[in-house]
Amino acid sequence: MDAAHAPASAPAPAQPTATSHRAGPDLPDAPGRKPAGHPLAGVLTMAGSGLSNQTGAAIGSLAFPVLGASGVVAVRQYVAAIVLLAVGRPRMRSFTKQQWWPVLLLALVFGAMNLSLYSAIDRIGLGLAVTLEFLGPLTIALSASHRRTDACCALVALAGVVTLMRPQPSTDYLGLGLGLLAAACWASYILLNRTVGRRVPGAQGSAAAAAVSAVLFLPVGIVIAVQHPPTPGAAGYAIAAGVLSSAVPYLADLFTLRRVPAQTFGLFMSVNPVLAAVVGWILLGQGLGWTEWASIGAIVAANALSILTSRA
């Protein structure tokens, strides 16, 4: 999450509804239950959530020269922990051993996911980094399906990845590798969230994982604060990133999932790589060539086609 998704039951195979580097719930509709409220409000909220998430990541990158990717991620973890602890209010003293081990793994993956993503953003830009990270939930969705359509979608997404990673003199393979690591972490995050959701009631598991992750990043924050004292501007950028990419999307998604079907939610989430590319271009001046745009379009189209053709 940019991401600390609230735990819930697993989404349908072709509906990856989680959002990585932020705090946002992975909550499909309960069987036989229709979303309440006006769907337009949900759609507008999804648009605002996506823009907030990617804008937060872009603003956070402005603090890289002072805090580095690890410093910004540390602040992000602190903000996510505050938000999720307030919402989930976990009773950690009552957790059993069977509840604690997936929570601890989730905390480790949570931190690794955000750190690899922000490090990738620092090297290859927001649009490409988020696109590669998006392969995590897409891979889970497509691998769980045996439909020919999804096999074709997987090939389309693979073609997009190969195009993105084609060898060139200027290719930043470390940055691309960090993006793929973020994708693997996001996939692990989703699977662990499902386990935590089955073993820990409500959002207590995610809240506890966010708290543990924040504690793990405390030494990082202290070292960076001592070696590279943050300027007010850098600290403000990092805090804004935490609010825009953790607090706002989390609360927005809770509102959205009560008003739109899970399939619609998953479909809209698939445009996040496009939003990231546009925000990166407007706020950071990170322009992309036509091949990069074609690759992003192929990956987004693969996910959208898989969701649109999935059985209800």
Side-chain angles (χ1 to χ4, degrees), residues 269-298:
M269 286 297 101
S270 69
V271 306
N272 268 279
V274 176
L275 289 176
V278 172
V279 169
W281 172 54
I282 295 176
L283 295 185
L284 304 176
Q286 297 173 345
L288 299 175
W290 71 269
T291 51
E292 284 80 11
W293 277 109
S295 300
I296 292 173

Side-chain angles (χ1 to χ4, degrees), residues 3 13 39 82 99 102 121 127 157 164 174 178 182 199 201 206 249 253 264 267 289 305 310:
I82 292 171
Q99 291 174 319
I121 291 173
L164 279 179
L174 178 56
L178 288 167
R199 299 187 183 185
S206 285
D253 289 351
T264 304
L267 183 63
L305 179 62
S310 64

